Coordinates of all heavy atoms in Angstrom, one line a residue:
M1186 N 0.8 -1.2 0.0 CA 0.0 0.0 0.0 C 0.9 1.3 0.0 O 0.7 2.1 -0.8 CB -0.9 0.0 1.2 CG -2.2 -0.7 1.0 SD -3.3 -0.4 2.3 CE -3.7 -2.0 2.8
A1187 N 1.8 1.3 1.0 CA 2.6 2.4 1.1 C 3.5 2.6 -0.2 O 3.9 3.6 -0.6 CB 3.5 2.3 2.3
G1188 N 3.8 1.4 -0.8 CA 4.6 1.4 -2.0 C 4.1 2.2 -3.1 O 4.8 2.9 -3.8
G1189 N 2.7 2.1 -3.2 CA 2.1 2.9 -4.3 C 2.3 4.4 -4.1 O 2.7 5.1 -5.1
W1190 N 2.3 4.9 -2.9 CA 2.5 6.3 -2.7 C 3.9 6.7 -3.0 O 4.2 7.7 -3.7 CB 2.3 6.7 -1.2 CG 0.8 6.8 -0.9 CD1 0.0 6.0 -0.3 CD2 0.0 7.9 -1.4 NE1 -1.3 6.5 -0.2 CE2 -1.3 7.7 -0.9 CE3 0.3 9.1 -2.1 CZ2 -2.4 8.6 -1.2 CZ3 -0.8 10.0 -2.3 CH2 -2.1 9.7 -1.9
T1191 N 4.9 5.8 -2.6 CA 6.3 6.1 -2.9 C 6.5 6.2 -4.4 O 7.2 7.1 -4.9 CB 7.2 5.0 -2.3 OG1 6.7 4.7 -1.0 CG2 8.6 5.5 -2.3
R1192 N 5.9 5.3 -5.1 CA 6.1 5.2 -6.5 C 5.6 6.5 -7.2 O 6.2 7.1 -8.0 CB 5.5 4.0 -7.1 CG 6.2 3.6 -8.4 CD 5.6 2.3 -9.0 NE 6.1 1.1 -8.2 CZ 5.5 -0.1 -8.4 NH1 4.5 -0.3 -9.2 NH2 6.0 -1.1 -7.7
D1193 N 4.3 6.8 -6.8 CA 3.7 8.1 -7.3 C 4.6 9.3 -7.1 O 4.8 10.1 -8.0 CB 2.4 8.3 -6.7 CG 1.3 7.3 -7.2 OD1 1.7 6.6 -8.2 OD2 0.2 7.2 -6.7
G1194 N 5.1 9.4 -5.9 CA 6.0 10.5 -5.6 C 7.2 10.5 -6.5 O 7.6 11.6 -7.0
G1195 N 7.8 9.4 -6.7 CA 9.0 9.3 -7.6 C 8.7 9.8 -9.0 O 9.4 10.6 -9.5
V1196 N 7.5 9.3 -9.5 CA 7.2 9.7 -10.8 C 6.9 11.2 -10.9 O 7.4 11.9 -11.8 CB 5.9 9.0 -11.3 CG1 5.3 9.5 -12.6 CG2 6.2 7.5 -11.4
Q1197 N 6.3 11.7 -9.9 CA 6.0 13.2 -9.9 C 7.3 14.0 -9.8 O 7.4 15.0 -10.5 CB 5.1 13.5 -8.6 CG 4.6 14.9 -8.7 CD 3.7 15.2 -9.9 OE1 2.8 14.4 -10.2 NE2 4.0 16.2 -10.6
D1198 N 8.2 13.5 -9.1 CA 9.5 14.2 -9.0 C 10.2 14.2 -10.4 O 10.7 15.2 -10.8 CB 10.5 13.4 -8.1 CG 10.2 13.8 -6.6 OD1 9.4 14.7 -6.4 OD2 10.7 13.2 -5.7
Q1199 N 10.1 13.1 -11.1 CA 10.7 13.0 -12.4 C 10.0 14.0 -13.4 O 10.6 14.7 -14.2 CB 10.6 11.6 -13.0 CG 11.6 10.7 -12.5 CD 11.5 9.3 -13.0 OE1 10.6 9.0 -13.8 NE2 12.4 8.4 -12.6
I1200 N 8.6 14.0 -13.3 CA 7.9 14.9 -14.1 C 8.3 16.4 -13.8 O 8.6 17.2 -14.7 CB 6.4 14.8 -13.9 CG1 5.9 13.4 -14.5 CG2 5.6 15.9 -14.6 CD1 4.5 13.0 -14.1
N1201 N 8.4 16.7 -12.6 CA 8.8 18.1 -12.2 C 10.2 18.4 -12.8 O 10.4 19.5 -13.3 CB 8.8 18.2 -10.7 CG 7.4 18.3 -10.1 OD1 6.5 18.6 -10.8 ND2 7.3 18.1 -8.8
A1202 N 11.1 17.4 -12.7 CA 12.4 17.7 -13.1 C 12.4 17.9 -14.6 O 13.1 18.8 -15.1 CB 13.3 16.5 -12.8
S1203 N 11.6 17.1 -15.4 CA 11.7 17.3 -16.8 C 11.0 18.6 -17.3 O 11.3 19.2 -18.2 CB 11.1 16.1 -17.6 OG 9.9 15.6 -17.0
V1204 N 9.9 19.0 -16.5 CA 9.3 20.3 -16.8 C 10.3 21.4 -16.6 O 10.4 22.3 -17.4 CB 8.0 20.5 -15.9 CG1 7.6 21.9 -16.0 CG2 6.9 19.5 -16.4
E1205 N 11.0 21.3 -15.5 CA 12.0 22.3 -15.2 C 13.1 22.4 -16.3 O 13.4 23.4 -16.8 CB 12.8 22.0 -13.9 CG 12.5 23.0 -12.8 CD 13.1 22.6 -11.5 OE1 14.3 22.5 -11.4 OE2 12.3 22.3 -10.6
D1206 N 13.5 21.2 -16.8 CA 14.5 21.2 -17.9 C 13.9 21.8 -19.1 O 14.6 22.5 -19.8 CB 14.9 19.7 -18.2 CG 15.8 19.1 -17.1 OD1 16.3 19.9 -16.3 OD2 16.1 17.9 -17.2
A1207 N 12.6 21.5 -19.4 CA 12.0 22.0 -20.6 C 11.9 23.5 -20.5 O 12.2 24.2 -21.5 CB 10.6 21.4 -20.8
V1208 N 11.6 24.0 -19.3 CA 11.5 25.5 -19.2 C 12.9 26.1 -19.4 O 13.0 27.1 -20.1 CB 11.0 25.8 -17.8 CG1 11.1 27.3 -17.5 CG2 9.5 25.4 -17.7
K1209 N 13.9 25.5 -18.8 CA 15.3 26.0 -18.9 C 15.7 26.0 -20.4 O 16.3 26.9 -20.9 CB 16.3 25.1 -18.2 CG 16.5 25.7 -16.7 CD 17.6 24.8 -16.1 CE 17.2 24.6 -14.6 NZ 18.0 23.5 -14.1
L1210 N 15.3 24.9 -21.1 CA 15.7 24.8 -22.5 C 14.9 25.8 -23.3 O 15.5 26.5 -24.1 CB 15.3 23.4 -23.0 CG 15.4 23.1 -24.5 CD1 16.9 23.3 -24.9 CD2 15.0 21.6 -24.7
A1211 N 13.7 26.0 -23.0 CA 12.9 27.0 -23.8 C 13.5 28.4 -23.5 O 13.6 29.2 -24.4 CB 11.4 27.0 -23.3
R1212 N 13.9 28.7 -22.3 CA 14.4 30.0 -22.0 C 15.8 30.2 -22.7 O 16.1 31.3 -23.1 CB 14.6 30.1 -20.5 CG 13.4 30.6 -19.8 CD 13.6 30.9 -18.3 NE 12.3 31.0 -17.7 CZ 12.1 30.8 -16.4 NH1 13.1 30.3 -15.7 NH2 11.0 31.0 -15.9
S1213 N 16.6 29.1 -22.7 CA 17.9 29.2 -23.3 C 17.8 29.5 -24.8 O 18.7 30.0 -25.5 CB 18.7 28.0 -23.1 OG 18.3 26.9 -23.9
R1214 N 16.6 29.2 -25.4 CA 16.4 29.4 -26.8 C 15.8 30.7 -27.2 O 15.7 31.1 -28.3 CB 15.6 28.2 -27.4 CG 16.4 27.0 -27.6 CD 15.6 25.9 -28.2 NE 16.4 24.7 -28.5 CZ 16.0 23.5 -28.8 NH1 14.7 23.4 -28.9 NH2 16.8 22.5 -29.0
L1215 N 15.2 31.3 -26.2 CA 14.5 32.6 -26.4 C 15.5 33.7 -26.7 O 16.5 33.7 -26.0 CB 13.7 33.0 -25.2 CG 12.3 32.3 -25.0 CD1 11.6 32.7 -23.7 CD2 11.4 32.6 -26.2
P1216 N 15.2 34.5 -27.6 CA 16.0 35.7 -27.8 C 16.1 36.5 -26.6 O 15.0 36.8 -26.0 CB 15.3 36.4 -29.0 CG 14.3 35.6 -29.5 CD 14.0 34.5 -28.5
D1217 N 17.2 36.9 -26.2 CA 17.4 37.5 -24.9 C 17.9 38.9 -25.1 O 18.8 39.4 -24.4 CB 18.3 36.7 -24.0 CG 18.0 36.8 -22.5 OD1 16.9 37.5 -22.2 OD2 18.7 36.3 -21.7
G1218 N 17.4 39.6 -26.1 CA 17.8 41.0 -26.3 C 19.1 41.0 -27.2 O 19.0 40.8 -28.4
E1219 N 20.2 41.3 -26.5 CA 21.4 41.4 -27.3 C 22.1 40.1 -27.7 O 22.1 39.2 -26.9 CB 22.4 42.2 -26.4 CG 22.2 43.7 -26.4 CD 23.2 44.4 -25.5 OE1 24.4 44.3 -25.7 OE2 22.7 44.9 -24.5
S1220 N 22.6 40.1 -28.9 CA 23.4 39.0 -29.3 C 24.9 39.2 -28.7 O 25.3 40.3 -28.6 CB 23.5 38.9 -30.8 OG 22.2 38.8 -31.3
S1221 N 25.5 38.1 -28.5 CA 26.9 38.2 -28.0 C 27.9 38.3 -29.1 O 27.6 37.8 -30.2 CB 27.2 36.9 -27.2 OG 26.4 36.8 -26.0
N1222 N 28.9 39.0 -28.9 CA 30.0 39.1 -29.9 C 30.8 37.8 -29.9 O 31.3 37.5 -31.0 CB 30.9 40.3 -29.6 CG 30.2 41.6 -29.8 OD1 29.5 41.8 -30.8 ND2 30.4 42.5 -28.9
N1223 N 30.9 37.2 -28.8 CA 31.7 36.0 -28.7 C 30.8 34.8 -28.1 O 30.0 35.1 -27.3 CB 32.9 36.2 -27.8 CG 33.8 37.2 -28.4 OD1 33.6 38.4 -28.2 ND2 34.9 36.8 -29.0
C1224 N 31.1 33.6 -28.6 CA 30.4 32.4 -28.1 C 30.7 32.3 -26.6 O 31.8 32.4 -26.1 CB 31.0 31.2 -28.8 SG 30.4 29.7 -28.1
E1225 N 29.6 32.2 -25.8 CA 29.8 32.1 -24.4 C 30.3 30.8 -23.9 O 30.7 30.6 -22.8 CB 28.4 32.4 -23.7 CG 27.4 31.3 -23.8 CD 26.1 31.6 -22.9 OE1 26.0 32.8 -22.5 OE2 25.4 30.7 -22.7
E1226 N 30.4 29.8 -24.8 CA 30.9 28.5 -24.5 C 32.4 28.4 -24.7 O 33.2 28.0 -23.9 CB 30.2 27.5 -25.4 CG 30.3 26.1 -24.8 CD 29.3 25.8 -23.7 OE1 28.2 26.4 -23.6 OE2 29.7 25.0 -22.8
C1227 N 32.8 28.9 -25.9 CA 34.3 28.7 -26.3 C 35.0 30.0 -26.7 O 36.2 30.0 -26.9 CB 34.4 27.7 -27.5 SG 33.7 28.3 -29.0
G1228 N 34.2 31.1 -26.7 CA 34.8 32.4 -27.0 C 35.1 32.7 -28.4 O 35.6 33.8 -28.7
T1229 N 34.7 31.8 -29.3 CA 34.8 32.1 -30.8 C 34.0 33.3 -31.1 O 32.9 33.5 -30.6 CB 34.3 30.9 -31.6 OG1 35.1 29.8 -31.3 CG2 34.3 31.2 -33.1
V1230 N 34.5 34.2 -32.0 CA 33.8 35.3 -32.5 C 32.6 34.9 -33.3 O 32.7 34.0 -34.2 CB 34.7 36.2 -33.3 CG1 33.9 37.4 -33.9 CG2 35.8 36.8 -32.5
I1231 N 31.4 35.4 -33.0 CA 30.2 35.1 -33.7 C 30.0 36.1 -34.8 O 30.1 37.3 -34.5 CB 29.0 35.1 -32.8 CG1 29.1 34.0 -31.7 CG2 27.7 34.8 -33.5 CD1 28.1 34.1 -30.6
S1232 N 29.8 35.6 -36.0 CA 29.8 36.6 -37.2 C 28.6 37.5 -37.1 O 27.5 37.1 -36.5 CB 29.8 35.7 -38.5 OG 28.5 35.1 -38.6
D1233 N 28.7 38.6 -37.7 CA 27.6 39.6 -37.8 C 26.3 38.9 -38.4 O 25.2 39.1 -38.0 CB 28.0 40.8 -38.7 CG 28.8 41.8 -37.9 OD1 28.9 41.6 -36.6 OD2 29.4 42.7 -38.5
A1234 N 26.6 38.1 -39.5 CA 25.5 37.5 -40.2 C 24.7 36.6 -39.2 O 23.5 36.6 -39.2 CB 26.0 36.7 -41.3
R1235 N 25.4 35.8 -38.4 CA 24.8 34.9 -37.5 C 24.0 35.7 -36.4 O 22.9 35.4 -36.0 CB 25.8 34.0 -36.8 CG 25.2 33.0 -35.8 CD 26.2 31.9 -35.5 NE 25.8 31.2 -34.3 CZ 24.8 30.2 -34.3 NH1 24.2 29.9 -35.5 NH2 24.5 29.6 -33.2
R1236 N 24.6 36.8 -35.9 CA 24.0 37.6 -34.9 C 22.7 38.3 -35.4 O 21.8 38.4 -34.6 CB 25.0 38.6 -34.3 CG 26.0 37.9 -33.4 CD 26.8 39.0 -32.7 NE 27.8 39.6 -33.5 CZ 28.1 40.8 -33.5 NH1 27.5 41.7 -32.8 NH2 29.1 41.3 -34.4
K1237 N 22.7 38.6 -36.7 CA 21.5 39.2 -37.2 C 20.5 38.2 -37.5 O 19.3 38.4 -37.3 CB 21.9 39.9 -38.6 CG 22.4 41.4 -38.3 CD 22.8 42.0 -39.6 CE 23.6 43.3 -39.3 NZ 24.5 43.6 -40.5
A1238 N 20.9 37.0 -37.9 CA 20.0 35.9 -38.2 C 19.3 35.4 -37.0 O 18.1 35.0 -37.0 CB 20.7 34.8 -38.9
I1239 N 20.0 35.4 -35.8 CA 19.5 34.8 -34.6 C 19.6 35.8 -33.5 O 20.6 35.9 -32.8 CB 20.2 33.5 -34.2 CG1 20.3 32.6 -35.4 CG2 19.5 32.8 -33.1 CD1 21.3 31.5 -35.2
P1240 N 18.5 36.6 -33.3 CA 18.6 37.7 -32.3 C 18.8 37.0 -30.9 O 18.2 36.0 -30.6 CB 17.2 38.3 -32.3 CG 16.6 37.9 -33.7 CD 17.2 36.6 -34.0
G1241 N 19.7 37.6 -30.2 CA 20.0 37.0 -28.8 C 21.0 35.8 -28.9 O 21.1 35.2 -27.8
V1242 N 21.6 35.5 -30.0 CA 22.4 34.4 -30.1 C 23.6 34.5 -29.2 O 24.2 35.6 -29.0 CB 22.9 34.1 -31.6 CG1 23.8 35.3 -32.0 CG2 23.6 32.8 -31.7
R1243 N 24.0 33.4 -28.5 CA 25.1 33.5 -27.6 C 26.2 32.4 -27.8 O 27.2 32.4 -27.2 CB 24.6 33.3 -26.2 CG 24.1 34.6 -25.6 CD 23.0 34.4 -24.6 NE 22.5 35.7 -24.2 CZ 22.3 36.0 -23.0 NH1 22.5 35.1 -22.0 NH2 21.8 37.2 -22.7
L1244 N 25.9 31.5 -28.8 CA 26.8 30.4 -29.0 C 27.2 30.4 -30.5 O 26.4 30.8 -31.4 CB 26.1 29.1 -28.7 CG 25.7 28.9 -27.3 CD1 24.9 27.6 -27.2 CD2 26.9 28.8 -26.4
C1245 N 28.4 30.0 -30.8 CA 28.8 29.8 -32.1 C 28.1 28.6 -32.7 O 27.4 27.8 -32.0 CB 30.3 29.6 -32.2 SG 30.9 28.0 -31.6
V1246 N 28.2 28.4 -34.0 CA 27.5 27.3 -34.7 C 27.8 25.9 -34.0 O 26.9 25.1 -33.7 CB 27.8 27.2 -36.2 CG1 27.0 26.1 -36.9 CG2 27.5 28.6 -36.8
G1247 N 29.1 25.7 -33.8 CA 29.5 24.4 -33.3 C 28.9 24.1 -31.9 O 28.4 23.1 -31.6
C1248 N 29.0 25.1 -31.0 CA 28.6 24.9 -29.6 C 27.0 24.8 -29.6 O 26.5 24.0 -28.9 CB 29.0 26.0 -28.7 SG 30.8 26.0 -28.5
Q1249 N 26.4 25.6 -30.5 CA 24.9 25.5 -30.5 C 24.4 24.1 -30.9 O 23.6 23.5 -30.3 CB 24.4 26.5 -31.5 CG 22.9 26.6 -31.6 CD 22.2 27.2 -30.4 OE1 22.6 28.3 -30.0 NE2 21.3 26.6 -29.8
S1250 N 25.0 23.6 -32.0 CA 24.5 22.3 -32.4 C 24.9 21.2 -31.4 O 24.2 20.2 -31.2 CB 25.1 21.9 -33.8 OG 26.5 21.9 -33.8
E1251 N 26.1 21.3 -30.8 CA 26.5 20.4 -29.8 C 25.5 20.4 -28.6 O 25.1 19.3 -28.1 CB 27.9 20.7 -29.2 CG 28.8 19.6 -28.9 CD 30.1 20.0 -28.5 OE1 30.3 20.2 -27.3 OE2 31.0 20.2 -29.4
R1252 N 25.1 21.6 -28.2 CA 24.2 21.7 -27.1 C 22.8 21.1 -27.4 O 22.2 20.4 -26.6 CB 24.1 23.2 -26.7 CG 23.3 23.4 -25.5 CD 23.3 24.9 -25.1 NE 24.5 25.2 -24.3 CZ 24.6 26.3 -23.6 NH1 23.6 27.1 -23.5 NH2 25.7 26.6 -22.9
E1253 N 22.4 21.4 -28.6 CA 21.1 20.8 -29.0 C 21.1 19.3 -29.1 O 20.1 18.7 -28.8 CB 20.6 21.5 -30.3 CG 20.1 22.9 -30.1 CD 19.7 23.6 -31.3 OE1 19.7 23.0 -32.4 OE2 19.3 24.8 -31.2
E1254 N 22.2 18.8 -29.6 CA 22.3 17.3 -29.7 C 22.2 16.7 -28.3 O 21.5 15.7 -28.1 CB 23.7 16.9 -30.2 CG 23.6 16.3 -31.6 CD 24.9 16.2 -32.2 OE1 25.7 15.4 -31.7 OE2 25.2 16.8 -33.3
R1255 N 22.8 17.3 -27.3 CA 22.8 16.8 -26.0 C 21.4 16.9 -25.4 O 20.9 16.1 -24.7 CB 23.7 17.6 -25.1 CG 25.0 16.9 -24.8 CD 25.9 17.7 -23.8 NE 26.8 18.6 -24.5 CZ 27.1 19.8 -24.1 NH1 26.7 20.2 -22.9 NH2 27.9 20.6 -24.8
Q1256 N 20.7 18.0 -25.7 CA 19.4 18.2 -25.2 C 18.3 17.4 -25.8 O 17.3 17.2 -25.2 CB 19.0 19.7 -25.3 CG 19.8 20.5 -24.2 CD 19.7 22.0 -24.5 OE1 19.4 22.4 -25.6 NE2 20.0 22.8 -23.5
T1257 N 18.5 17.0 -27.0 CA 17.4 16.2 -27.7 C 17.5 14.7 -27.5 O 16.6 14.0 -27.8 CB 17.4 16.5 -29.2 OG1 18.7 16.4 -29.7 CG2 16.9 18.0 -29.5
T1258 N 18.6 14.3 -26.8 CA 18.7 12.8 -26.6 C 19.0 12.5 -25.1 O 19.9 11.8 -24.8 CB 19.9 12.2 -27.4 OG1 21.0 13.0 -27.2 CG2 19.5 12.3 -28.9
P1259 N 18.1 13.0 -24.2 CA 18.3 12.7 -22.8 C 17.8 11.4 -22.4 O 18.2 10.9 -21.3 CB 17.5 13.8 -22.1 CG 16.5 14.2 -23.1 CD 17.0 13.8 -24.5
T1260 N 17.0 10.7 -23.2 CA 16.4 9.4 -22.8 C 17.3 8.2 -23.3 O 17.0 7.1 -22.9 CB 15.0 9.3 -23.5 OG1 15.1 9.5 -24.9 CG2 14.0 10.2 -22.8
G1261 N 18.3 8.5 -24.0 CA 19.2 7.4 -24.5 C 19.7 6.5 -23.4 O 19.6 5.3 -23.5
F1262 N 20.1 7.1 -22.3 CA 20.6 6.3 -21.2 C 19.6 5.4 -20.6 O 19.8 4.3 -20.4 CB 21.2 7.3 -20.1 CG 22.7 7.4 -20.1 CD1 23.3 8.6 -20.4 CD2 23.4 6.3 -19.9 CE1 24.7 8.7 -20.4 CE2 24.8 6.4 -19.9 CZ 25.4 7.6 -20.2
N1263 N 18.4 6.0 -20.3 CA 17.4 5.3 -19.6 C 16.9 4.1 -20.5 O 16.7 3.0 -20.0 CB 16.1 6.2 -19.4 CG 16.5 7.2 -18.3 OD1 17.4 7.0 -17.5 ND2 15.8 8.3 -18.3
R1264 N 16.8 4.3 -21.8 CA 16.3 3.3 -22.6 C 17.3 2.1 -22.6 O 16.9 1.0 -22.5 CB 16.2 3.8 -24.1 CG 14.7 4.1 -24.4 CD 14.6 4.4 -25.8 NE 13.7 5.6 -26.0 CZ 13.7 6.4 -27.0 NH1 14.5 6.2 -28.0 NH2 12.9 7.4 -27.1
R1265 N 18.6 2.4 -22.7 CA 19.6 1.4 -22.7 C 19.5 0.7 -21.4 O 19.6 -0.5 -21.3 CB 21.0 2.0 -22.9 CG 21.7 1.4 -24.1 CD 23.0 2.1 -24.4 NE 22.8 3.1 -25.4 CZ 23.6 4.2 -25.5 NH1 24.6 4.3 -24.8 NH2 23.4 5.0 -26.5
G1266 N 19.4 1.4 -20.3 CA 19.4 0.8 -19.0 C 18.2 -0.2 -18.8 O 18.4 -1.3 -18.3
S1267 N 17.0 0.2 -19.3 CA 15.9 -0.7 -19.1 C 16.0 -1.9 -20.0 O 15.5 -3.0 -19.7 CB 14.6 0.0 -19.3 OG 14.5 0.6 -20.6
K1268 N 16.6 -1.7 -21.1 CA 16.8 -2.9 -22.0 C 17.7 -3.9 -21.4 O 17.5 -5.1 -21.4 CB 17.5 -2.4 -23.3 CG 16.8 -3.0 -24.6 CD 17.5 -2.6 -25.8 CE 16.6 -2.0 -26.9 NZ 17.3 -1.5 -28.0
D1269 N 18.8 -3.4 -20.8 CA 19.7 -4.3 -20.1 C 19.0 -5.1 -19.0 O 19.2 -6.3 -18.8 CB 20.9 -3.5 -19.5 CG 21.9 -3.2 -20.5 OD1 21.8 -3.7 -21.6 OD2 22.8 -2.4 -20.2
S1270 N 18.2 -4.4 -18.2 CA 17.6 -5.1 -17.0 C 16.5 -6.1 -17.5 O 16.3 -7.1 -16.9 CB 16.9 -4.1 -16.1 OG 16.1 -3.2 -16.8
Q1271 N 16.0 -5.8 -18.7 CA 15.0 -6.8 -19.2 C 15.7 -8.1 -19.7 O 15.2 -9.2 -19.6 CB 14.3 -6.2 -20.4 CG 13.0 -5.4 -20.0 CD 12.4 -4.6 -21.1 OE1 12.8 -4.8 -22.3 NE2 11.5 -3.8 -20.8
L1272 N 16.9 -7.9 -20.2 CA 17.7 -9.1 -20.6 C 18.1 -10.0 -19.5 O 18.2 -11.2 -19.7 CB 18.9 -8.6 -21.4 CG 18.6 -8.1 -22.8 CD1 19.9 -7.5 -23.4 CD2 18.1 -9.1 -23.7
R1273 N 18.3 -9.4 -18.3 CA 18.7 -10.2 -17.2 C 17.6 -10.8 -16.5 O 16.8 -11.5 -16.8 CB 19.3 -9.2 -16.1 CG 20.8 -9.0 -16.4 CD 21.4 -8.0 -15.5 NE 22.4 -7.2 -16.2 CZ 22.8 -6.0 -15.9 NH1 22.3 -5.4 -14.8 NH2 23.8 -5.4 -16.5
Ligands
ZN2121 ZN1 31.5 28.1 -29.3

């Protein structure tokens, strides 16, 4: 009986965490006024063309795509983990 409550709580925590992540992600993609002259990740100069094309841009092309790759595949680990446990 008590187990049901514990499980619900855990799921809710996970949902809260992913909502928070989604909000952070959405905020990180919102134009934030000024574009940076340099990539905030690696310091590379961001070209005028890129700054005009993406208002509020803060990352160079390389860092931006790297960051998006990381953010779009957060479930890879969990999927692999559950597959392993099913095999055992
Ligand atoms: Zn960079």
Side-chain angles (χ1 to χ4, degrees):
M1186 270 193 239
W1190 279 106
T1191 313
R1192 205 176 284 170
D1193 285 351
V1196 169
Q1197 191 59 48
D1198 280 351
Q1199 280 180 359
I1200 290 169
N1201 286 344
S1203 45
V1204 167
E1205 245 172 65
D1206 284 351
V1208 169
K1209 267 185 218 162
L1210 176 57
R1212 276 189 191 150
S1213 76
R1214 281 181 178 169
L1215 279 178
D1217 212 4
E1219 278 176 63
S1220 304
S1221 297
N1222 290 318
N1223 298 80
C1224 172
E1225 70 174 17
E1226 199 78 32
C1227 70
T1229 297
V1230 175
I1231 299 171
S1232 69
D1233 279 349
R1235 180 167 167 77
R1236 283 190 284 138
K1237 273 178 199 158
I1239 312 167
V1242 67
R1243 275 150 185 227
L1244 298 171
C1245 70
V1246 183
C1248 292
Q1249 181 73 51
S1250 62
E1251 216 175 89
R1252 189 173 277 199
E1253 281 178 7
E1254 249 171 62
R1255 257 183 274 147
Q1256 281 167 342
T1257 49
T1258 53
T1260 50
F1262 257 118
N1263 289 338
R1264 257 186 224 160
R1265 234 173 267 159
S1267 59
K1268 224 185 232 176
D1269 279 352
S1270 52
Q1271 274 169 9
L1272 286 172
R1273 274 171 212 162

